Amino acid sequence: MFHSRYPKYQSPILIALICLTLGCSADKIMSRKVASAFKHSELIKQYQVGFALYNSESEKMVFSHDANKQFTPASNTKLFTFYAALKMIPDSMPALRYIEKNDSLIFWGTGDPSFLQSVLKDKTAYNFLSAGNKKLFFAPVRYTGAFFGAGWAWDDYNDYYQAEINELPLFDNTVWVKGNSGGGFSITPKSFSSCFFKDSTKTTGDFFV
């Protein structure tokens, strides 16, 4: 039997103890389940895996497996970058910078990837440039860094998401080539069509440009 010198505090103290006990029990149950999953997983046995499950309310580690070892960051760490971007970056960014001189508009890029991007389909910068009556002059070479980065994260040059870096990306900085049933192919953007021709030596299978 639980006794207290202060009867009016018995109920709150008892409730707190019950919640604490249930919380500890839940952590122990979860710890056993996760430990069992790690022990019997054939997939985890094939790789080096670091894992940590932390209870932020109790401020205790529920389960850890090689959590203090150093690993190459996994793709799920991008979620932290994504969350930070949502919190800190506004809903839009400058697409262009420009100056006007007499009858000319001189502009350069800011690295904004949305210019005629295939998914976003944003035409804000395009409409701005096409709506005026001034002569347009693009000022390149504002970006002086590498077109491709270095390291394990930059080894996917053949994939669409690994386009070159520059100050004014257009159409994702990619050209799409799609074959059709008639043996021909379509080019997107169409302005690059003259840069391609059909090679009759390869008629089936995948090909890269």
Side-chain angles (χ1 to χ4, degrees), residues 118-150:
S118 59
V119 176
L120 298 176
K121 301 185 184 301
D122 182 75
K123 289 189 174 183
T124 304
Y126 176 83
N127 292 337
F128 168 75
L129 293 175
S130 59
N133 56 3
K134 293 182 178 293
K135 297 178 182 179
L136 300 178
F137 294 91
F138 174 60
V141 201
R142 295 279 175 167
Y143 174 72
T144 57
F147 293 121
F148 292 103

Side-chain angles (χ1 to χ4, degrees), residues 178-186 197-200 202-204 207:
K178 184 178 181 180
N180 54 47
S181 57
F185 54 86
S186 60
F197 64 93
K198 183 177 179 181
D199 185 354
S200 60
K202 185 173 179 62
T203 58
T204 60
F207 64 94

Side-chain angles (χ1 to χ4, degrees), residues 20 23-24 27 53-63:
L20 181 62
C24 293
D27 283 352
L53 179 61
Y54 183 78
N55 188 329
S56 59
E57 294 183 355
S58 64
E59 298 184 349
K60 292 183 179 180
M61 185 68 71
V62 178
F63 176 82

